Structures are given as structure tokens and as C-alpha cells.
Amino acid sequence: MDDLDWDIETLAIRAGQQRTLEGEHSDPIFMTSSYVFGSAAEAEARFKGEQAGNIYSRFTNPTVRTFEQRLAALEGAESCVATASGMSAILSTCLALLQSGDHIVSSQSIFGSTVVLFNKYLSRYGIETSYASQTDLASWEKAIQSNTKLLFLETPSNPLIEVADIKALADLAHKHNCLLVVDNCFCTPVLQRPLEFGADVVIHSATKYIDGQGRAMGGAVVGDNKIVGEEVFGFLRTAGPSMSAFNAWLFLTGLETLSIRMQHHSAKALELATFLQDHAKVSRVHYPGLPQHAQHLLAREQQAAFGGVLSFEVEGGKEAAWKIIDNTKLLSITANLGDAKSTITHPATTTHGRLSDEEKVNAGIKEGLIRIAVGLENTNDLQADIERGLNQL
Ligand SMILES: *Cc1c(COP(=O)(O)O)cnc(C)c1O
């Protein structure tokens, strides 16, 4: 791409578009399953890979390609493969790069479905996973075995917003001939570009901030031409968890506003975290933008801002947490995040409800913990909505 010296704000709006002969200003949606060849010889050349061009939309589609090129430009990567969901991005990465007998070391603080994918499904095919502490480098080193091929993490983590040191973990991975895969869903490339810190592959759930308005499912795998452009793409075009052209078009419009949205989500989350920190009924706030946060300095080095998700604890366990949640009128009680609408969740009984009591204690998921994914509403309105329940404790 020749526009790589543009700033990320410009890339998010301009990268990847190739206008058709119609001269359309906005990105078009190519709703077509297959593509027509000029002759039988051209069809043969395309299928043999001797001639570049579209064959079938499970492989490539112009709208999806524009999305892939734009996201690759934002992450500073050579290649991007768009997928049907964030989970299919993780599945495609694992199945493309690993084989039976391989081993994964993952942060223990990752998305719940990813844990199920690793423990229940990949293990059936002889791929085992061990878990390390998000913030303890020594525990990662200890978990690495001679057959470890891949280190996997998500930063900041959910719901305790702990920040992992991407550079240190990339160095550790490479020392042991492993790849570092980072799920960058919470930050997006606007706030954090893991490849710059040495990560090999970046995963996205486009369903979250890239869409930005909670409308469509999608995902992406980002990295170099060999790992992503050949290996992951090869799996995707065969197995078929491809992104639909319509969803790619929604995500393209999402990307156009990603930069300003992430700045606003972050500014509002910092305001709300500060308000909660000062509130007498709140015992603890988890947000890396607060100077008290254990990885505040690391987050400042690694991220352009601190993101839109925070969590906080109140005394009184589940009953107190539910009282706050049930007294909100503005915030939506839902586990999704990355939406213009703020959401509120009780992790201990929803996203982390499958954990045993002991696992919850180990993971730091207290019964009085509440997670908020801060949307784009007015901060005073959000504060008032949370304070109604807090004042009843
Ligand atoms: C939501 C999410 C996923 C899964 O993405 P889907 O689009 O729901 O499949 C993966 N990782 C993180 C961090 C998420 O928040």
C-alpha cells in the first residue's frame, strides 16, 4: 500500500478503497458469491493461481478485501484475513498454525469462549493448553514446554483490566521459537498496535469497537504475508468461516469513526473511574488510567489511551452488586461491549459464572464486582444512573 505514511486517523477512513468505474465516493457492497471469467483459459489461470483475481467469495470479495487492507494498514501489518466472528478468527489461527502434539500457553485472563475452545475442542485434536498469570512473566516461562508453539493473550484483560507486557512476552515467545498472538479487541489499533511491540499475530472481534454500534458479528487475523496471508488465508478459504460482504461494509463505516470513538470511550471511562474511585460506597476500581492501577505506567507506554472498559467492587457481595445493576435505567444489562450504548454486567454470575468458587477467587472475580463498558452517552447521566444504586447500599 502506498499510503502507509498517513496517520492512523486518515488510514481508518481512506486505506484500502479502490473505486470502481462508477466513481462511487462511499465503499460499495459486492453481494456476489462468484465471479465471471473472460474465457475458459482465464478460469484455468485463476484456479491455478497463475493469475490474480476473484474466484469465489469464500476466498475473496472486494468489500471484504477493502476492510482487510484498511485494518492491516491500521495495525501496521502486511496482511489481514477477515472472519465471520472473533471466535472464528481465533479458531482459524489455531487450526492454520498448530497440529496434534503442539502446546499453547495462554493467559488465564482471556475471553470465556476462548477457554472453552482451547480446553474442550482443541484438546480433542491433541493440542493442549496451559495457563499463566496475565502479569507474571515468570509464570509464562514456567509454563512453556518443548512442544509449545504459541503464546496467547488479551490485553487489557476482562473484567479486571490487567495489562500484560506485550514486548516482554514477545521476547519470551521468540526465545522459545513460539509465536505471540494478541487479542486486541479491547484497544483496537487506535489505542494499541501489538505488532510494534513484537507480537506476531493480532486477533480482533470486529463485533465490538470496530462495529461500534452492536450490529454485526465479525473478526480478523492480522500479521505478515507468510503466517496470515498464506497459512491463515489458506485455512479460511478451505474451511469457510469467511466474513460476509454486508458485514465488511458495516465495519468499514465503523472504522471511519473508530479513532474519535476510542478517544471518547477512553475519556468518559477515565472520568467515570475517577468518580467511582472517590465514591464512599466503592471499595476498589480497576482501570489502568488511574495512577493507583498496578500497571498504570506499562499501560501508558503500550497504549495511546486506557480504553472504554472498567470494573469496580462494592462491599455486600452479589446482593449489593445486583442492587446497583437493577437500579440503572440508562445502562443496558448485557455482556456486550464496544457499543455507543453503555453496558453493565455482573461477571461472577454471567461471563465468569461457569467458574467454580475457588476458580473465581484465584481469578479475582469477587461477588461484589461490576463491569461497565462505557459507551458514548453523557458522563453526568451515566454517573447519576450508577449513583442511584450506590446510594441505596
Ligand atoms: C467478544 C470477544 C471475542 C469473541 O468475538 P465474537 O465476535 O463474539 O466471536 C474474543 N475476544 C474478546 C476479547 C472478546 O471480547
Side-chain angles (χ1 to χ4, degrees):
M1 200 162 298
D2 49 10
D3 15 279
L4 276 181
D5 25 326
W6 281 339
D7 183 84
I8 197 156
E9 288 182 2
T10 310
L11 291 172
I13 295 167
R14 294 287 184 173
Q17 187 177 11
Q18 286 182 332
R19 295 210 168 90
T20 72
L21 292 174
E22 300 294 343
E24 69 283 353
H25 190 204
S26 174
D27 294 291
I29 315 177
F30 283 88
M31 294 303 289
T32 180
S33 318
S34 75
Y35 303 84
V36 177
F37 312 111
S39 65
E42 193 178 288
E44 183 192 35
R46 291 265 178 98
F47 273 86
K48 276 188 164 167
E50 289 164 357
Q51 186 193 76
N54 299 306
I55 298 174
Y56 190 53
S57 279
R58 170 152 40 79
F59 312 170
T60 59
N61 172 282
T63 312
V64 176
R65 188 186 318 121
T66 303
F67 170 74
E68 291 171 335
Q69 291 187 350
R70 194 168 297 175
L71 189 57
L74 293 179
E75 289 284 5
E78 289 176 346
S79 191
C80 169
V81 168
T83 57
S85 67
M87 285 318 301
S88 59
I90 299 172
L91 175 71
S92 301
T93 302
C94 293
L95 292 193
L97 303 178
L98 300 174
Q99 62 184 31
S100 179
D102 287 348
H103 177 249
I104 300 171
V105 178
S106 170
S107 165
Q108 65 198 10
S109 314
I110 55 168
F111 190 63
S113 297
T114 312
V115 176
V116 179
L117 175 69
F118 289 168
N119 290 356
K120 180 169 178 191
Y121 294 102
L122 292 187
S123 66
R124 287 185 191 169
Y125 303 97
I127 299 166
E128 298 294 337
T129 304
S130 306
Y131 293 90
S133 152
Q134 173 87 348
T135 55
D136 176 9
L137 200 61
S139 78
W140 288 82
E141 182 129 45
K142 223 173 109 197
I144 292 177
Q145 308 173 1
S146 58
N147 59 341
T148 305
K149 292 285 157 58
L150 195 146
L151 269 50
F152 186 95
L153 65 98
E154 202 176 292
T155 180
S157 68
N158 177 26
L160 294 180
I161 332 292
E162 291 180 313
V163 180
D165 188 335
I166 300 174
K167 170 132 199 340
L169 287 162
D171 289 346
L172 181 69
H174 299 152
K175 192 173 108 190
H176 293 274
N177 287 320
C178 300
L179 298 175
L180 179 68
V181 179
V182 178
D183 182 333
N184 200 23
C185 167
F186 270 46
C187 277
T188 83
V190 169
L191 300 188
Q192 170 173 281
R193 285 185 288 285
L195 300 178
E196 286 176 3
F197 297 98
D200 301 286
V201 176
V202 171
I203 301 281
H204 280 288
S205 166
T207 317
K208 313 291 171 51
Y209 289 105
I210 291 177
D211 177 276
Q213 294 177 52
R215 300 165 297 187
M217 303 294 301
V221 186
V222 188
D224 69 18
N225 283 335
K226 176 85 185 69
I227 296 172
V228 175
E230 286 178 30
E231 304 293 343
V232 178
F233 175 66
F235 174 80
L236 177 110
R237 61 172 274 169
T238 307
S242 315
M243 179 180 282
S244 83
F246 183 79
N247 287 7
W249 176 80
L250 280 174
F251 298 140
L252 281 169
T253 60
L255 285 178
E256 290 186 3
T257 57
L258 184 65
S259 181
I260 55 170
R261 283 189 286 109
M262 292 315 291
Q263 289 163 32
H264 278 264
H265 283 297
S266 300
K268 286 169 191 291
L270 182 58
E271 255 186 272
L272 204 59
T274 308
F275 157 79
L276 291 166
Q277 180 76 28
D278 294 339
H279 200 285
K281 298 281 172 66
V282 174
S283 47
R284 186 160 178 203
V285 182
H286 302 273
Y287 187 66
L290 296 175
Q292 300 87 329
H293 188 278
Q295 297 96 36
H296 175 64
L297 292 179
L298 174 62
R300 288 179 71 140
E301 275 170 40
Q302 213 166 260
Q303 302 176 206
F306 303 104
V309 185
L310 62 87
S311 60
F312 65 99
E313 290 166 21
V314 291
E315 300 292 337
K318 177 177 124 176
E319 199 190 327
W322 280 22
K323 187 171 266 175
I324 293 165
I325 293 171
D326 288 339
N327 269 288
T328 58
K329 296 190 173 128
L330 172 60
L331 282 91
S332 314
I333 307 174
T334 171
N336 198 27
L337 62 99
D339 197 302
K341 299 180 177 78
S342 296
T343 67
I344 189 163
T345 332
H346 184 237
T349 50
T350 59
T351 52
H352 294 70
R354 81 204 132 72
L355 301 186
S356 68
D357 287 349
E358 193 194 332
E359 285 171 327
K360 279 183 205 164
V361 170
N362 289 338
I365 313 292
K366 302 215 172 110
E367 293 292 325
L369 181 75
I370 292 173
R371 188 198 78 184
I372 294 180
V374 182
L376 299 173
E377 302 98 334
N378 177 275
T379 319
N380 292 332
D381 292 338
L382 294 173
Q383 284 179 13
D385 205 42
I386 298 162
E387 200 158 35
R388 196 176 311 110
L390 276 173
N391 285 340
Q392 290 185 23
L393 299 186

